[in-house]
Amino acid sequence: MQQKKNTHKVDSKDENNCLVKTVHLNRVKKARDNAPPKKELEKLSNTFKALGDPTRLKIVMALSDEEMCVCDIAAYTGVSDSAVSHQLRRLKDLSIVKNRRAGQILYYSLDDNHITDIITIGHTHIKENK
Amino acid sequence: MQQKKNTHKVDSKDENNCLVKTVHLNRVKKARDNAPPKKELEKLSNTFKALGDPTRLKIVMALSDEEMCVCDIAAYTGVSDSAVSHQLRRLKDLSIVKNRRAGQILYYSLDDNHITDIITIGHTHIKENK
DNA sequence: TTGATATATGAACATATGCTCATATATCAA
DNA sequence: TTGATATATGAGCATATGTTCATATATCAA
């Protein structure tokens, strides 16, 4: 039988009325109430995923110093122009980078400084948890 | 032939003396000088990658409100206890979450507030670039 | 002890990811 | 125009990833 203190799972219903087991149904409900909209969660996780690949992160960190063209980024990161171009497109779609054209050359730079801030905090995090 | 202004690629050498083409060799060199150590880049990108999956991000965001046990997180996210446990292990290995035991139940919470800060900024970023 | 419960873990599998290669597009120089 | 150069893009492929299932471990109740 159910205890006074929440120390055991009990049957509950999820958002689609399917059976689930919960210990603190109030906490689960509260989490559901505060849950980000699905679209927002997707976009946010996509943004972090973009920084979650070493090559892309290296690109972004380099661009936080100075704008660079595709082939220089390729030379720096050690992957092909094509690979860099693919990654830049992805970063651009997420508004992480922008570009400007000068003749045949496209210069990429960060679109805003949020990303730099995020990286700075991430850096602090890993330093504190060596 | 080479121009006065940097508008064309020229042959250069990368860190391993392999041939690469660069437009602004000085920028590439500067980027190399400022490049994060490989280990650091790996750890940093792994941290962001951890937030780059919708399920994990949802977990982390929920935990920023209140500690939760495994089965409640499972009920909230809609994946199995096992999947949650796998993800929590990963987040714990990255010092993103920690846990405390109360009998059979393990309560997970955020290990520090850096992660919350990162998510807040990420949120601002996606809101500004709707 | 013994059985039940909460979580952890390893293997397996379907899907996602990042790269390369081939090719397309865009700009410049002549 | 025409050829060369810088970047973009789509397909294909090897690897990584997130989940489930089966099973292991840990704690509690009796």
Side-chain angles (χ1 to χ4, degrees):
Chain A
M1 61 266 122
Q2 171 114 28
Q3 312 288 309
K4 275 179 186 150
K5 284 191 65 177
N6 285 332
T7 57
H8 288 81
K9 293 181 182 175
V10 295
D11 289 345
S12 315
K13 302 281 190 170
D14 72 2
E15 288 151 311
N16 303 317
N17 241 25
C18 299
L19 184 67
V20 290
K21 303 264 188 180
T22 61
V23 172
H24 305 274
L25 183 55
N26 58 323
R27 294 192 192 183
V28 176
K29 280 182 172 163
K30 182 178 159 195
R32 280 182 202 146
D33 290 344
N34 298 338
K38 187 171 180 181
K39 286 270 182 192
E40 192 177 301
L41 184 72
E42 290 292 334
K43 189 152 189 188
L44 195 50
S45 62
N46 275 333
T47 301
F48 292 128
K49 192 183 292 185
L51 304 175
D53 170 72
T55 303
R56 281 192 300 266
L57 183 58
K58 203 175 175 183
I59 292 173
V60 170
M61 290 175 85
L63 295 183
S64 71
D65 271 2
E66 185 174 24
E67 68 174 9
M68 290 176 80
C69 71
V70 174
C71 83
D72 286 351
I73 296 172
Y76 166 57
T77 55
V79 300
S80 69
D81 290 2
S82 173
V84 169
S85 187
H86 277 291
Q87 303 293 26
L88 287 170
R89 175 180 165 75
R90 186 162 167 180
L91 293 170
K92 189 156 172 287
D93 286 344
L94 290 161
S95 305
I96 292 175
V97 305
K98 64 184 182 216
N99 61 17
R100 73 177 177 89
R101 181 178 281 280
Q104 296 160 283
I105 298 181
L106 280 169
Y107 290 95
Y108 281 84
S109 57
L110 297 193
D111 198 354
D112 61 48
N113 26 29
H114 297 316
I115 304 301
T116 305
D117 294 344
I118 287 173
I119 293 171
T120 301
I121 300 174
H123 202 262
T124 305
H125 178 77
I126 65 169
K127 284 299 177 188
E128 287 183 7
N129 302 97
K130 193 190 66 57
Chain B
M1 62 265 129
Q2 173 114 30
Q3 314 287 309
K4 274 180 187 148
K5 282 194 66 180
N6 286 331
T7 58
H8 289 80
K9 293 181 181 177
V10 296
D11 289 344
S12 315
K13 302 279 192 171
D14 72 4
E15 289 151 309
N16 304 317
N17 242 26
C18 298
L19 183 68
V20 290
K21 303 263 189 182
T22 61
V23 172
H24 306 275
L25 184 54
N26 58 326
R27 293 191 194 183
V28 176
K29 282 183 172 161
K30 182 178 160 196
R32 280 181 200 147
D33 290 343
N34 297 338
K38 187 171 180 182
K39 286 270 181 190
E40 193 176 301
L41 184 72
E42 290 291 336
K43 188 151 189 190
L44 196 49
S45 63
N46 274 333
T47 301
F48 292 128
K49 190 182 294 185
L51 304 175
D53 169 71
T55 302
R56 282 192 299 267
L57 183 58
K58 203 174 176 185
I59 292 173
V60 170
M61 291 175 84
L63 295 184
S64 73
D65 270 2
E66 184 173 27
E67 69 175 8
M68 288 176 82
C69 70
V70 174
C71 83
D72 285 351
I73 297 171
Y76 167 56
T77 56
V79 300
S80 69
D81 290 1
S82 172
V84 169
S85 187
H86 277 292
Q87 303 294 26
L88 287 171
R89 174 181 165 76
R90 185 162 168 182
L91 294 170
K92 190 157 172 285
D93 286 345
L94 290 162
S95 305
I96 293 175
V97 304
K98 64 185 182 211
N99 61 19
R100 71 176 178 89
R101 181 178 279 282
Q104 298 160 282
I105 298 180
L106 279 168
Y107 289 95
Y108 281 84
S109 57
L110 296 193
D111 198 355
D112 61 47
N113 27 29
H114 297 316
I115 303 303
T116 305
D117 293 346
I118 287 173
I119 292 171
T120 301
I121 299 174
H123 203 261
T124 304
H125 177 77
I126 66 168
K127 283 300 176 187
E128 285 183 7
N129 303 95
K130 192 186 67 56

